[in-house]
């Protein structure tokens, strides 16, 4: 069998919790037109304004969850890389981040330098979005073109409803579900609504009412992040044997004043506490590795908010991280990845 490398790709992290490193990371992240989809002059102005205060605030948040070995996201991704490597017998397994280090550019150049010509490129995002999946793939294409690399990519597709992913989610959460809980909240990363509208192939999907994403099929489902989140949530709940009243879903991590997809996680936390939920479990199925959005936003600030609103305990269910079922599932999914470039 010809050698085929596997490149695992996640979002990224600042190099440290120093304000300068956080500012550098946020600038790269927010200046990506797939993330802040404004014309360059407006994007530059907006990001410059954000970078006045945001880096110091974010640096404080990162410091609260930073590990001795560095960024939790990077450390957990390294662990996943090491766990996957023995199962990926076709070739080497590398790790890259879309923003920060290790970069996609350096990883692809390293593989090409080893004489590798075939790479399975694996964006570790279960649900499709331009701000995650598309930007990672476009960066790989840019690098290949800029350096004239002889690389053929097989690209892992969004796996939001793949049985292997959903079953790994259930197995990773099973110990927490079996301990008993009042309610489970599935909190996905949010997106500005305009990102959905831009990707709507029919032009009217998002105008059909609040439940349109739950009924999406075909080409709409293939490009609608919110619809894919619903499929992930429903698929998980069904496999976990949860009754409808035992769980709900919401969207977190809003930034700026744009209209973001609803319901908002912050609002759900208050509402659940006011409805009498005392022990709340929260899972974040849009992330496969714990990071600032899970550990700090939910595990720290979310818990404080829920308890202040009348709840007694919020327990964050860890992401898939290096769970053995996830390692096996990821290898299986990557082996099925179709050739795209």
């Amino acid at each position: 069998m010809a050698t085929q490398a596997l490149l695992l790709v996640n979002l990224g992290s600042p190099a440290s919790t120093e304000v300068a490193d956080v500012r550098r990371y946020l600038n790269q992240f927010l200046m990506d037109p797939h993330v802040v989809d404004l014309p360059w002059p407006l994007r530059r102005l907006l990001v410059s304004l954000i970078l006045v205060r945001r880096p110091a605030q974010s640096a404080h948040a990162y410091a609260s969850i930073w590990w001795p070995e560095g960024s939790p996201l990077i450390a957990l991704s390294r662990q996943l890389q090491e766990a996957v490597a023995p199962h990926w017998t076709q070739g080497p397994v590398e790790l890259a981040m879309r923003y920060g280090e290790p970069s996609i550019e350096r990883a692809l150049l390293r593989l090409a330098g080893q004489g590798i010509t075939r790479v399975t490129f694996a964006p570790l995002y279960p649900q499709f979005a331009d701000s995650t999946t598309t930007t990672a793939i476009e960066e790989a294409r840019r690098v290949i073109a800029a350096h004239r690399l002889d690389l053929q990519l097989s690209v892992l597709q969004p796996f939001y409803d793949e049985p292997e992913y959903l079953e790994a989610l259930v197995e990773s959460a099973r110990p927490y579900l079996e301990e008993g809980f009042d309610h489970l909240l599935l909190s996905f990363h949010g997106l500005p609504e305009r990102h959905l509208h831009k990707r709507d192939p029919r032009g009217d999907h998002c105008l059909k009412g609040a439940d349109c994403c739950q009924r999406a099929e075909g080409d709409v489902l293939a490009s609608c992040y919110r619809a894919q989140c619903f499929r992930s949530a429903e698929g998980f709940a069904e496999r976990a044997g949860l009754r409808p009243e035992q769980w709900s879903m919401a969207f977190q991590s809003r930034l700026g004043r744009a209209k973001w997809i609803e319901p908002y996680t912050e609002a759900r936390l208050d509402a659940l506490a006011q409805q009498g939920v005392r022990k709340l479990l929260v899972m974040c199925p849009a992330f496969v590795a714990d990071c600032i959005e899970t550990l700090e936003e939910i595990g720290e600030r979310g818990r404080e908010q829920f308890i202040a609103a009348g709840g007694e305990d919020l327990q964050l269910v860890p992401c898939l991280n290096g769970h053995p079922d996830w390692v096996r599932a990821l290898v299986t999914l990557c082996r099925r990845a179709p050739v795209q470039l």
Side-chain angles (χ1 to χ4, degrees), residues 179-205:
E179 286 181 2
F181 60 97
D182 294 332
H183 194 82
L184 169 67
L185 179 63
L186 300 172
S187 180
F188 293 83
H189 199 288
L191 275 184
E193 279 193 351
R194 67 176 182 272
H195 284 210
L196 270 61
H197 298 162
K198 285 169 55 179
R199 274 289 180 173
D200 181 1
R202 303 182 189 179
D204 65 347
H205 164 65

Side-chain angles (χ1 to χ4, degrees), residues 47-110:
V47 173
S48 296
L49 292 173
I50 292 173
L51 293 180
V52 173
R53 295 184 178 179
R54 185 80 179 192
Q57 297 169 349
S58 294
H60 178 76
Y62 276 109
S64 73
I65 54 98
W66 211 250
W67 290 357
E69 57 268 47
S71 161
L73 174 62
I74 304 295
L76 289 166
S77 297
R78 287 287 187 203
Q79 292 172 18
L80 178 64
Q81 176 192 9
E82 293 168 3
V84 165
H87 299 276
W88 187 263
T89 56
Q90 297 96 311
V93 178
E94 288 281 352
L95 175 69
M97 299 288 149
R98 174 60 185 91
Y99 313 104
E101 296 292 341
S103 69
I104 292 173
E105 185 164 31
R106 291 190 181 183
L108 289 176
L109 288 172
R110 184 162 51 249

Side-chain angles (χ1 to χ4, degrees), residues 15 85 89 93 120 133-134 137 153 161 260 275 290 303 306 321:
T89 56
V93 178
T120 295
T133 310
T134 300
I137 296 171
L153 295 188
D161 63 348
W260 286 53
Q275 291 166 14
D290 278 304
R303 178 181 289 113
F306 179 68
N321 296 325

Side-chain angles (χ1 to χ4, degrees), residues 186-235:
L186 300 172
S187 180
F188 293 83
H189 199 288
L191 275 184
E193 279 193 351
R194 67 176 182 272
H195 284 210
L196 270 61
H197 298 162
K198 285 169 55 179
R199 274 289 180 173
D200 181 1
R202 303 182 189 179
D204 65 347
H205 164 65
C206 294
L207 305 177
K208 292 182 177 179
D211 65 342
C212 65
C213 292
Q214 291 176 277
R215 296 180 282 103
E217 298 289 347
D219 57 349
V220 171
L221 176 61
S223 61
C224 180
Y225 173 78
R226 189 168 184 260
Q228 292 183 7
C229 290
F230 274 114
R231 290 299 173 92
S232 295
E234 291 163 356

